[in-house]
Amino acid sequence: MAAQQYNDPGTTASSIGAQARTDFYEKKAIIAVRDKQYFSPLASVKAMPKNMGKKIKQDVYVPLLDDRNVNDQGLDAAGLIITASKWQAFNAAGTEIVTGTGWTAATATTAGYFATEANAQTAAGNQGSIQETGGHIYGSNKDIGSIAAKIPALSETGGRVNRVGFTRLQVEADLRKRGFFVEYTQESVDFDSDADLLAHITEESVVGANEITEAELQNDLLNTASGDGTTMYITTDADDVEAIDVGTKASVDGLVRYRDLMRLSIALDDNKTPKSTKIISGSRMTDTKTINGGRIMYIGSEMIPALRAMVDLHSNPAFVGVEKYADAGNVLNGEIGSVDNFRIVVVPEMQYGEGKGASNIDIYPMLVVGDGAFTTVGFQTDGKSVKFSINHKKPGNDISDLNDPYGEKGFYSIKWYYGFLAMRPERLGVIWTKAD
């Protein structure tokens, strides 16, 4: 007679009874969820935290020539102190305006300024330009005349002039714990017609946890894009021109057009949003690939008819199918084609605003995620550990207690941490529109 065998390391049950091989099941589940991830692969690989406390923190250095670089270190070309967070006005020729409502004249040590943006705009008129003051020379200003007036010129003797400052911002987000569990009995495993019941429970639990994380991440991306990103609300107003960051979801009653996508693309260009995106292509954080040829736009299936029927400014079809430009190694999960500078990805579980538009119509987002816009904690691994914790207690003596003295019940639980950090929210864009 053969001795009882454990059959290690095979997957065949031992001669004494069934075994629960959770390590094998968990690995299989991670592979299974990979094709169902749309937003997690876009998270910044370098900034994705691990074993670093319950907060995500990121330093953001603002460029010198940026309106956000407002600081109190500025000295102008005359060596006068520039008062931060005030305003300057320039006429059409680029000459600074030094009079008008709200103007504070220069002193022996301090440069003059307008008290409010409205004061500066009134002084500049329709042909002039305005700029917030700070140690950033001309900031983000693009006006020919005002840039020429702010070039940091030096005299032969130099002197204490043209001092600038730099701004470092720190953004942070809390990690939040998530989790759920399932109970089962010994008989459900021993007598169920599906011999792989426990394997399916394990796999579906991880798939469900992944879908919850994807839904929460998508929700954070949509809210951040609508609040701090680049937003368009499509309406059927008389001027037929949609402005950036003007309107509300409740005003949406129009259908997106090609010119709207073009205008959003230009706004993202102005925000210095890259047109290539690095994504995590596998289950390891080190497996990445760069997607070129345009920014990624996520839509729900409801928007497919509108995009396929869209025409460009010359009345030619604007939609180009993915089969016409992409090779197998350069196609995103769910990608169907491109319009203008956007590669279109359909997300089956894309969220929308039910009854949130004008006259209580349903409205749908077209979400653009620029490279480096955010970081998160997801299910990608470093190849040695996972970022979710699984606790499996199978029925038996080890789990028996006063509540279950025979040890007939077991449980399987999964928990993880989720965190979202918008590092560059200006690289997030969204168009809210009705469907066709």
Side-chain angles (χ1 to χ4, degrees), residues 86-108:
K86 301 299 182 180
W87 293 86
Q88 292 175 296
F90 303 88
N91 61 23
T95 303
E96 184 177 3
I97 300 170
V98 294
T99 184
T101 303
W103 172 255
T104 298
T107 68

Side-chain angles (χ1 to χ4, degrees), residues 94-169:
T95 303
E96 184 177 3
I97 300 170
V98 294
T99 184
T101 303
W103 172 255
T104 298
T107 68
T109 58
T110 304
Y113 57 83
F114 283 96
T116 67
E117 181 180 5
N119 294 150
Q121 189 64 66
T122 300
N126 295 330
Q127 301 299 318
S129 62
I130 65 174
Q131 181 181 7
E132 188 175 9
T133 58
H136 50 34
I137 306 180
Y138 53 83
S140 302
N141 202 321
K142 297 180 181 179
D143 180 72
I144 296 174
S146 58
I147 287 179
K150 301 283 284 186
I151 294 297
L154 280 177
S155 66
E156 180 179 353
T157 57
R160 189 173 173 79
V161 298
N162 301 328
R163 187 176 69 185
V164 300
F166 290 90
T167 301
R168 179 179 65 187
L169 306 175

Side-chain angles (χ1 to χ4, degrees), residues 139-387:
S140 302
N141 202 321
K142 297 180 181 179
D143 180 72
I144 296 174
S146 58
I147 287 179
K150 301 283 284 186
I151 294 297
L154 280 177
S155 66
E156 180 179 353
T157 57
R160 189 173 173 79
V161 298
N162 301 328
R163 187 176 69 185
V164 300
F166 290 90
T167 301
R168 179 179 65 187
L169 306 175
Q170 188 176 81
V171 291
E172 66 177 45
D174 293 322
L175 301 185
R176 291 160 277 178
K177 187 180 288 188
R178 303 289 186 256
F180 58 86
F181 77 100
V182 60
E183 289 180 315
Y184 68 95
T185 66
Q186 182 65 53
E187 290 192 358
S188 70
V189 176
D190 291 341
F191 302 126
D192 193 90
S193 58
D194 185 357
D196 295 324
L197 175 63
L198 190 56
H200 294 315
I201 291 175
T202 305
E203 181 173 340
E204 290 304 320
S205 295
V206 179
V207 170
N210 173 73
E211 291 180 353
I212 292 171
T213 301
E214 280 281 296
E216 192 168 12
L217 176 55
Q218 181 187 159
N219 193 271
D220 280 334
L221 287 170
L222 287 172
N223 288 333
T224 303
S226 300
D228 300 320
T230 306
T231 312
M232 294 183 68
Y233 302 96
I234 307 302
T235 63
T236 55
D237 51 11
D239 61 11
D240 200 36
V241 175
E242 307 300 343
I244 299 295
D245 297 333
V246 175
T248 64
K249 294 178 184 177
S251 66
V252 174
D253 60 0
L255 182 63
V256 66
R257 302 152 301 175
Y258 180 82
R259 67 176 68 245
D260 300 318
L261 296 180
M262 185 174 61
R263 193 170 291 111
L264 177 63
S265 179
I266 293 172
L268 292 172
D269 287 341
D270 291 341
N271 289 338
K272 301 179 176 63
T273 306
K275 289 186 178 179
S276 61
T277 304
K278 182 178 289 186
I279 67 170
I280 300 172
S281 58
S283 61
R284 293 169 178 258
M285 291 173 59
T286 56
D287 300 334
T288 63
K289 64 180 179 181
T290 300
I291 300 299
N292 297 307
R295 303 182 182 97
I296 303 171
M297 173 176 279
Y298 296 93
I299 65 169
S301 57
E302 298 86 356
M303 295 306 303
I304 294 177
L307 288 177
R308 290 190 178 276
M310 187 175 287
V311 295
D312 63 18
L313 301 181
H314 305 286
S315 299
N316 296 318
F319 182 84
V320 179
V322 67
E323 70 280 358
K324 295 182 179 180
Y325 64 83
D327 56 65
N330 198 35
V331 178
L332 292 159
N333 184 29
E335 184 174 1
I336 62 170
S338 68
V339 176
D340 194 49
N341 288 317
F342 298 108
R343 297 180 65 164
I344 310 300
V345 173
V346 176
V347 180
E349 301 299 327
M350 194 72 180
Q351 299 166 23
Y352 68 100
E354 183 175 359
K356 296 295 193 300
S359 303
N360 297 320
I361 65 170
D362 295 341
I363 58 174
Y364 301 88
M366 305 175 73
L367 176 66
V368 181
V369 182
D371 190 40
F374 76 100
T375 187
T376 185
V377 177
F379 283 117
Q380 285 74 29
T381 76
D382 59 2
K384 299 178 181 178
S385 61
V386 295
K387 290 187 176 178

Side-chain angles (χ1 to χ4, degrees), residues 6-34:
Y6 176 62
N7 288 321
D8 185 40
T11 58
T12 305
S14 69
S15 57
I16 197 170
Q19 304 154 49
R21 290 288 306 277
T22 58
D23 55 332
F24 173 78
Y25 297 151
E26 288 161 15
K27 180 180 179 182
K28 179 180 178 182
I30 294 173
I31 296 173
V33 304
R34 187 186 305 157

Side-chain angles (χ1 to χ4, degrees), residues 409-426:
K409 291 183 178 180
F411 69 86
Y412 177 94
S413 68
I414 179 170
K415 63 181 179 180
W416 68 96
Y417 284 99
Y418 169 81
F420 173 83
L421 178 66
M423 297 186 295
R424 296 186 180 274
E426 72 276 8

